[in-house]
Amino acid sequence: MKTKLGPQRILFPLPTVLIVTGTMEKANIATIAWISILSSKPPTVGISVGTKGFTGEEILKNKNFTVNIASAEIMTETDFCGITSGKDIDKFEKTGLQKLPSSEISAPIIKQCPINLECKLIESKIIGTTNHFVGEIVETHVDTDKIKDITHWGTIDIDAVNPLVYISGAKEYRTIGKKIGDAYNIGNKLKE
Amino acid sequence: MKTKLGPQRILFPLPTVLIVTGTMEKANIATIAWISILSSKPPTVGISVGTKGFTGEEILKNKNFTVNIASAEIMTETDFCGITSGKDIDKFEKTGLQKLPSSEISAPIIKQCPINLECKLIESKIIGTTNHFVGEIVETHVDTDKIKDITHWGTIDIDAVNPLVYISGAKEYRTIGKKIGDAYNIGNKLKE
């Protein structure tokens, strides 16, 4: 049996990422879960942030941002960056997270995040009370000890990355669970 | 130490959803992981599908689609819908997944998915080789036995929903793991 809940923005599970804007001299961090890959050629990512927030202002000014995947190890720092505004405080200073320079853009990456994407803004679109920013991914960084073969990103050790999972509604952080099947493969069982 | 991998579309973890297009008489299912909530007022969701695929054609024709969250229980059916094209086969027939009528739109929902979102197309935008469709969520359905208090979607029992997690690159399906913290709360530790 199904129950209708009316129009609700429900999606499970969500990734948890830290968006860094600004420059090495003055940078800010925002935590978001409304993010998706949009295309592979070119590689692009879409992020949604509030139209009235500091991060949106900074992206429009600098035309770039970095996406830093949060691990379970930095859950507390990640949550802090989601419940505070960069208008008031220096979140790098408060959390102890450290900046590293990007290769292609002004916004730094976060050392403690196992995976970092450098993104150049290619377009933006206001939808309701959020701004949807489309970024072209121009460089990717991964912790060297978390990838088996640096010539293929598919060999990233996901258990070593230990990505933080966000469950909206219940407002929980979780880890990823155990492997239960091979994608692009297990469905072949139903072909006959 | 960090290693540069060049421009790569990396994001962990990803949700796994079944997109249904068409009508109760003739419907199709596509599996995707490139999906994100875009805004809460109005509630909108963005999905990315190939410009050359059947799902994109159907969305442009009917101006609606449903998002059906896959559970670990239907991993095999979900994978099958991701490695086959609706141009050739009836995926409902092949998988045994069942249609239920939507309230507001033509595209049906999937009975076996614990959560279903009815979406009206409000815009689309081609980015590279994919089309990004923005849907306004006009109704939400949840399995009645998987919500504690039907007046608040935040009481959905996420362990009962058991959402399927997709790990790109490694091409793995996983479950969600254990709870490790309260979001919008644990970061308060760093405020002083």
Side-chain angles (χ1 to χ4, degrees):
Chain A
M1 217 185 110
K2 300 267 184 190
T3 294
K4 286 183 201 175
L5 300 179
Q8 305 290 352
R9 48 165 183 78
I10 303 178
L11 187 63
F12 301 119
L14 300 178
T16 319
V17 302
L18 300 172
I19 303 297
V20 176
T21 50
T23 63
M24 279 296 284
E25 289 65 44
K26 189 163 171 16
N28 184 47
I29 310 172
T31 303
I32 69 160
W34 291 0
I35 178 168
S36 175
I37 298 297
L38 299 178
S39 62
S40 52
K41 288 179 189 177
T44 59
V45 64
I47 65 170
S48 295
V49 302
T51 48
K52 292 181 180 171
F54 188 58
T55 291
E57 279 177 28
E58 288 291 293
I59 292 173
L60 289 171
K61 191 168 73 183
N62 299 304
K63 311 293 187 203
N64 67 64
F65 58 91
T66 64
V67 172
N68 302 269
I69 295 181
S71 65
E73 286 79 4
I74 57 164
M75 173 178 63
T76 303
E77 293 83 352
T78 298
D79 194 56
F80 176 82
C81 293
I83 60 179
T84 49
S85 169
K87 280 179 184 161
D88 312 318
I89 53 163
D90 181 334
K91 296 192 197 177
F92 280 98
E93 192 184 295
K94 274 284 191 186
T95 58
L97 294 173
Q98 291 166 277
K99 292 168 217 167
L100 292 175
S102 280
S103 303
E104 307 293 329
I105 62 172
S106 69
I109 61 174
I110 297 176
K111 183 184 175 186
Q112 287 86 348
C113 291
I115 295 165
N116 322 88
L117 313 178
E118 300 182 23
C119 302
K120 282 186 184 170
L121 180 67
I122 57 176
E123 63 173 88
S124 67
K125 168 97 191 169
I126 291 173
I127 300 168
T129 53
T130 61
N131 207 334
H132 186 245
F133 292 106
V134 178
E136 180 173 347
I137 301 165
V138 293
E139 184 57 276
T140 315
H141 306 259
V142 60
D143 285 357
T144 308
D145 62 353
K146 297 186 177 74
I147 186 163
K148 291 162 197 164
D149 170 2
I150 61 164
T151 65
H152 182 40
W153 73 270
T155 67
I156 288 173
D157 181 342
I158 191 72
D159 291 301
V161 167
N162 196 13
L164 190 61
V165 179
Y166 176 58
I167 304 298
S168 58
K171 296 181 183 168
E172 294 180 358
Y173 292 118
R174 295 204 172 210
T175 57
I176 55 166
K178 63 177 192 302
K179 180 179 170 181
I180 56 172
D182 289 307
Y184 297 92
N185 186 324
I186 198 163
N188 284 317
K189 280 189 202 175
L190 296 176
K191 285 187 187 172
E192 79 258 24
Chain B
M1 216 185 109
K2 300 267 184 190
T3 294
K4 287 184 201 173
L5 300 178
Q8 304 291 350
R9 47 162 185 80
I10 304 177
L11 186 64
F12 302 118
L14 300 177
T16 318
V17 303
L18 300 172
I19 303 298
V20 176
T21 50
T23 64
M24 280 298 282
E25 290 65 44
K26 187 162 171 17
N28 184 45
I29 311 172
T31 303
I32 68 160
W34 293 358
I35 177 168
S36 174
I37 299 297
L38 299 179
S39 62
S40 52
K41 286 181 189 173
T44 59
V45 64
I47 65 170
S48 295
V49 302
T51 48
K52 292 181 178 170
F54 188 57
T55 292
E57 278 176 27
E58 288 292 293
I59 293 174
L60 288 171
K61 191 168 75 184
N62 299 306
K63 312 292 186 204
N64 66 62
F65 58 92
T66 64
V67 172
N68 302 269
I69 295 180
S71 66
E73 286 79 5
I74 57 165
M75 172 177 64
T76 303
E77 293 83 352
T78 298
D79 194 57
F80 177 82
C81 293
I83 59 178
T84 48
S85 170
K87 280 178 184 162
D88 314 317
I89 54 163
D90 181 333
K91 297 192 196 179
F92 280 98
E93 192 185 294
K94 273 285 190 186
T95 58
L97 294 173
Q98 291 167 277
K99 291 167 215 166
L100 292 175
S102 281
S103 302
E104 307 293 329
I105 62 172
S106 69
I109 61 174
I110 299 175
K111 184 184 176 189
Q112 286 86 348
C113 291
I115 296 166
N116 322 88
L117 312 178
E118 299 183 22
C119 303
K120 283 186 182 169
L121 180 66
I122 56 177
E123 63 172 88
S124 66
K125 167 97 191 169
I126 292 174
I127 299 169
T129 53
T130 62
N131 207 333
H132 186 244
F133 292 105
V134 179
E136 179 171 348
I137 301 165
V138 293
E139 184 58 275
T140 314
H141 306 261
V142 61
D143 285 357
T144 307
D145 62 352
K146 296 185 178 73
I147 186 165
K148 290 161 197 165
D149 170 2
I150 61 163
T151 66
H152 181 41
W153 72 270
T155 67
I156 289 173
D157 182 341
I158 190 71
D159 291 302
V161 167
N162 196 14
L164 190 60
V165 180
Y166 176 58
I167 305 297
S168 58
K171 295 180 183 169
E172 295 180 0
Y173 292 119
R174 294 201 172 213
T175 57
I176 55 165
K178 64 178 192 300
K179 179 179 172 183
I180 54 172
D182 289 307
Y184 297 91
N185 185 323
I186 197 163
N188 283 318
K189 280 189 200 174
L190 294 177
K191 285 187 186 172
E192 78 256 27

